[in-house]
């Protein structure tokens, strides 16, 4: 298990990094269970709320980041679409104190979002659960969440989506995992990649 001493503390800017695999849409809206979709919409609403605050403070870049995160969670949300339209009209310059005030609110939002994604990770099937867990770690990395990664990796690998499992493991390895977990992530990247190739070859052979 991941020790508490190896928790990775990262500044706010690092928590808002973009990893293409983790940010990719989870799946089509209609394919998600209603409860899962509702949870994702709550995540999007948290980002929209923060984005509206950023827009009021004339923090254009921060508002755009909040919009991107909201779209990542619930791309078809009407609330997100309304914010996308409103955020294009930000004018003027932010005051010097605005960014500090925003960062305080953003820290709370990140903790809220991380908690929501962790709950989704615990209930969703693999490899979707691993993607949610990755998003939780991007928002707020804790030893307990890294321990969940360790538990979730076998399910992701056995889910049948080898390519997805490999990409997710690779993305997670970029999030500064605890030293004892990094070799395991690298091993799963290799295993999933090999499994994906074998699966493709088997399908190709069957079609002949």
């Amino acid at each position: 298990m991941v020790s508490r001493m190896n928790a990775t503390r990262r500044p706010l800017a690092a928590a808002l990094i973009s990893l293409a695999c983790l940010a990719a849409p989870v799946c089509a809206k209609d394919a998600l269970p209603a409860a899962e979709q509702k949870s994702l919409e709550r995540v999007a609403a948290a980002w929209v709320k923060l984005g509206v605050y950023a827009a009021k403070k004339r923090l254009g870049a921060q508002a755009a980041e909040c919009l991107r995160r909201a779209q990542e969670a619930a791309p078809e949300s009407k609330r997100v679409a309304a914010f996308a339209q409103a955020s294009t009209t930000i004018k003027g310059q932010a005051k010097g104190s605005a960014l500090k005030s925003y960062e305080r609110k953003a820290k709370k939002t990140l903790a809220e979002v991380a908690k929501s994604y962790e709950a989704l990770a615990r209930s969703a099937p693999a490899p979707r659960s691993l993607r949610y867990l990755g998003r939780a770690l991007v928002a707020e990395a804790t030893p307990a969440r890294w321990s969940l990664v360790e538990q979730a990796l076998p399910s992701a690998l056995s889910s049948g989506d080898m390519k997805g499992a490999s990409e997710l493991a690779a993305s997670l390895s970029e999030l500064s995992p605890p030293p004892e977990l990094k070799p395991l992530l690298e091993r799963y990247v290799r295993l999933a990649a090999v499994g994906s190739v074998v699966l493709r070859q088997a399908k190709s052979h069957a079609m002949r």
Side-chain angles (χ1 to χ4, degrees), residues 33-88:
E36 194 171 327
Q37 183 59 39
K38 209 167 184 178
S39 294
L40 287 169
E41 286 173 359
R42 281 197 294 270
V43 170
W47 282 117
V48 168
K49 183 179 178 181
L50 181 63
V52 168
Y53 179 82
K56 284 180 180 178
K57 294 294 182 179
R58 299 173 183 172
L59 295 166
Q62 287 76 10
E65 176 65 23
C66 289
L67 173 60
R68 188 174 65 78
R69 294 295 180 182
Q71 290 172 330
E72 170 187 292
E76 297 181 30
S77 165
K78 290 180 180 178
R79 184 180 296 186
V80 173
F83 175 57
Q85 190 171 6
S87 63
T88 61

Side-chain angles (χ1 to χ4, degrees), residues 106-123:
K107 189 175 180 180
K108 291 180 181 178
T109 299
L110 285 165
E112 178 186 345
V113 164
K115 191 174 179 180
S116 295
Y117 273 132
E118 181 183 332
L120 280 163
R122 290 178 182 275
S123 60

Side-chain angles (χ1 to χ4, degrees), residues 13 46 95 194:
K95 292 180 180 179
V194 169

Side-chain angles (χ1 to χ4, degrees), residues 163 192-207:
K163 183 174 182 292
V194 169
S196 181
V197 170
V198 170
L199 194 60
R200 283 200 308 271
Q201 289 175 343
K203 286 181 179 178
S204 176
H205 181 73
M207 291 174 67

